[in-house]
Amino acid sequence: MGTSVMGRGGLKMSCLWVLVLLSGLALSNAQSKISSSTTGINYGQVADNLASPELVVGLLQTNSINKVKLYSVNETVLKAFANTGIELIVGMGNEDVGNMTDPTKATEWVNENIKAYLPATKIRGIAVGNEVYTGTDTQLMANLVPAMKNIHSALVSIGADTNIKITTPHSLAVLGNSFPPSAGSFASDLKSLMKPLLDLLSQIGSPFFINAYPYFAYKGDPSQISLNYVLFEPNSGVVDPNNNIRYNNMLYAQVDAVYSALSALGYTNIEVTVSETGWPSKGDANEAGATLQNAQSYNGNLLQLLAQNQGTPLRPKLVLQAYLFALFNEDMKPGPASERNYGLFKPDGTAVYNLGLTGTLSTGSSSTGSSSTGSTSTGSFSTGSPPPAIYPNSPTDSSYSYYSSAKETCSVISFYNHLQLLCLSTFLVVLLFLP
């Protein structure tokens, strides 16, 4: 019957240990939401003032960013990521796609740019080309799928096809219709190109990459599109009249329009990943909405939403993954001012705005030679027509609301979590001072 009763001294010591653990929990709650397994970031290098890749890796690790998408294969960059555990998607520029239609050249490319860095560098995907089907190069369009097949075969030959998936990012302009989301469809002139691509993605288990920017929709028609709707702020939402689902943010509506387009062609097993999304912190005078405050709201609310590990209304059990655009402001990108101001960080490593990110890069360590002509991060600037993303329907009382806004949901969760921590901490402190 050897039951013992803990003395008051032992109880106080236990309370101290619990308080230490609670402090750790509070600190972990304060860490960057980019550390979520659902979130990555695009690391473009169209700039002449970026730090060395080694310093960039340190910045990523400081903020627990574990997924990165690149726009090229660069020896210095790939070596810098070795033994870091950071998962990479490497890019292939449109200019290289044609060469990959030759199986021998595809094998050489994989051996030189992928195999040579494995397993130390954790390469998990290859993005072949960028927004090919919304460009004007018909030969490039015809070459895309044969090139992807040859690259996949080369991966098979080195036993890397299971861990490394190949795909290609698309502009939202591949959709001919995006509203309502349940009636999303691909542009009629692209369907003959899409089917072979989707056959391949389905066969090898690769995701469909979409570059989705609610900012473009708002910029194109700010008088008709609710700013709160595109920024994940509280709003009345937009209703899909076919299923009465109420969407409280445009990004999820855009993703579900892609899912509907895939389903319309018979592909229900392909996962959609947001390969790029973001909001510029600065723009030209005629670029509506390109402000620091809006960029902070969009990216901050999106990170909170993704951290909940949920899916979209049409795919609620399939957790949405997204890559933010971009890691840095890139001063050599062409186009309007917004194109050079999508970064979460300035070139010196300081945050452009507060998202809970930390870390700076030493000014003396920055390299003006780290820009790579092969790094064509053209991502956020769509070469095709503006994405069809206007949702005109107003909500009705009878509609089914699927999502509250990110800010509403996360603020409530955060409030109750912190309230529980406060109550428990107070109780333990009281115990410590009992006579």
Side-chain angles (χ1 to χ4, degrees):
M1 301 294 291
T3 304
S4 63
V5 178
M6 180 186 293
R8 190 166 299 281
L11 177 61
K12 289 187 176 182
M13 183 60 67
S14 298
C15 290
L16 281 172
W17 276 112
V18 173
L19 283 171
V20 170
L21 291 173
L22 288 174
S23 299
L25 179 59
L27 286 174
S28 67
N29 262 349
Q31 287 185 350
S32 164
K33 293 290 192 301
I34 301 185
S35 62
S36 166
S37 62
T38 61
T39 314
I41 198 160
N42 285 277
Y43 173 21
Q45 293 176 278
V46 187
D48 60 3
N49 57 357
L50 298 183
S52 68
E54 291 80 9
L55 289 176
V56 171
V57 166
L59 181 67
L60 294 167
Q61 291 177 318
T62 297
N63 289 284
S64 301
I65 300 174
N66 300 315
K67 292 187 176 184
V68 173
K69 181 167 158 282
L70 305 172
Y71 289 90
S72 67
V73 284
N74 178 292
E75 180 181 6
T76 304
V77 174
L78 292 177
K79 285 184 176 179
F81 279 93
N83 302 310
T84 64
I86 296 174
E87 297 184 0
L88 297 181
I89 294 175
V90 300
M92 172 184 288
N94 290 347
E95 67 277 6
D96 295 323
V97 172
N99 288 335
M100 299 301 104
T101 58
D102 181 338
T104 301
K105 291 182 179 179
T107 299
E108 291 173 354
W109 187 91
V110 167
N111 287 336
E112 293 174 8
N113 298 294
I114 304 298
K115 183 180 179 181
Y117 302 98
L118 300 175
T121 302
K122 202 171 183 180
I123 299 172
R124 287 293 178 261
I126 302 173
V128 182
N130 188 57
E131 300 187 350
V132 170
Y133 287 165
T134 48
T136 58
D137 189 336
T138 55
Q139 187 59 55
L140 175 61
M141 296 179 194
N143 288 338
L144 180 60
V145 172
M148 292 175 67
K149 287 181 177 179
N150 287 339
I151 295 170
H152 177 70
S153 296
L155 291 173
V156 171
S157 70
I158 64 171
D161 58 300
T162 301
N163 292 328
I164 301 176
K165 299 299 182 181
I166 62 169
T167 187
T168 184
H170 301 277
S171 160
L172 201 67
V174 295
L175 296 182
N177 182 59
S178 63
F179 185 84
S182 60
S185 62
F186 290 112
S188 57
D189 59 334
L190 295 180
K191 289 180 181 178
S192 61
L193 291 169
M194 276 293 177
K195 188 158 180 29
L197 172 64
L198 299 179
D199 281 340
L200 176 63
L201 297 182
S202 179
Q203 289 166 10
I204 64 178
S206 289
F208 187 93
F209 270 15
I210 189 73
N211 297 339
Y213 287 88
Y215 165 70
F216 288 148
Y218 179 79
K219 173 186 172 182
D221 197 358
S223 64
Q224 295 297 317
I225 296 178
S226 164
L227 182 60
N228 285 344
Y229 179 60
V230 294
L231 294 180
F232 307 95
E233 296 284 354
N235 65 94
S236 58
V238 173
V239 175
D240 186 324
N242 293 334
N243 53 25
N244 279 341
I245 290 177
R246 185 191 302 270
Y247 286 85
N248 290 93
N249 70 79
M250 182 178 283
L251 181 67
Y252 279 16
Q254 291 176 336
V255 172
D256 273 353
V258 176
Y259 272 123
S260 294
L262 292 170
S263 297
L265 293 183
Y267 300 91
T268 58
N269 65 328
I270 298 177
E271 180 179 349
V272 175
T273 294
V274 178
S275 42
E276 289 182 15
T277 191
W279 197 283
S281 59
K282 186 187 297 184
D284 292 325
N286 63 345
E287 294 190 280
T291 68
L292 190 146
Q293 181 179 356
N294 288 342
Q296 181 178 14
S297 294
Y298 183 85
N299 287 318
N301 289 336
L302 174 60
L303 289 175
Q304 291 181 15
L305 197 57
L306 292 171
Q308 297 177 46
N309 295 317
Q310 295 180 339
T312 61
L314 293 185
R315 293 291 188 277
K317 296 181 180 179
L318 193 58
V319 176
L320 181 65
Q321 299 191 46
Y323 287 79
L324 269 66
F325 189 88
L327 184 58
F328 293 110
N329 285 337
E330 299 171 65
D331 68 341
M332 294 180 68
K333 291 198 70 176
S338 61
E339 287 297 308
R340 294 175 288 283
N341 289 281
Y342 274 88
L344 302 187
F345 290 97
K346 299 174 185 177
D348 65 358
T350 57
V352 176
Y353 41 83
N354 182 20
L355 286 181
L357 302 173
T358 59
T360 59
L361 300 171
S362 171
T363 305
S365 300
S366 62
S367 169
T368 58
S370 64
S371 172
S372 170
T373 55
S375 295
T376 54
S377 92
T378 58
S380 70
F381 184 68
S382 298
T383 55
S385 56
I390 296 177
Y391 306 105
N393 291 44
S394 56
T396 60
D397 292 337
S398 62
S399 61
Y400 171 61
S401 180
Y402 185 84
Y403 276 110
S404 63
S405 73
K407 180 164 287 188
E408 282 178 316
T409 303
C410 291
S411 62
V412 171
I413 292 173
S414 178
F415 171 77
Y416 281 109
N417 284 344
H418 284 86
L419 184 61
Q420 289 172 353
L421 286 173
L422 178 62
C423 291
L424 185 54
S425 299
T426 303
F427 174 71
L428 291 172
V429 169
V430 170
L431 282 181
L432 283 173
F433 287 96
L434 283 175

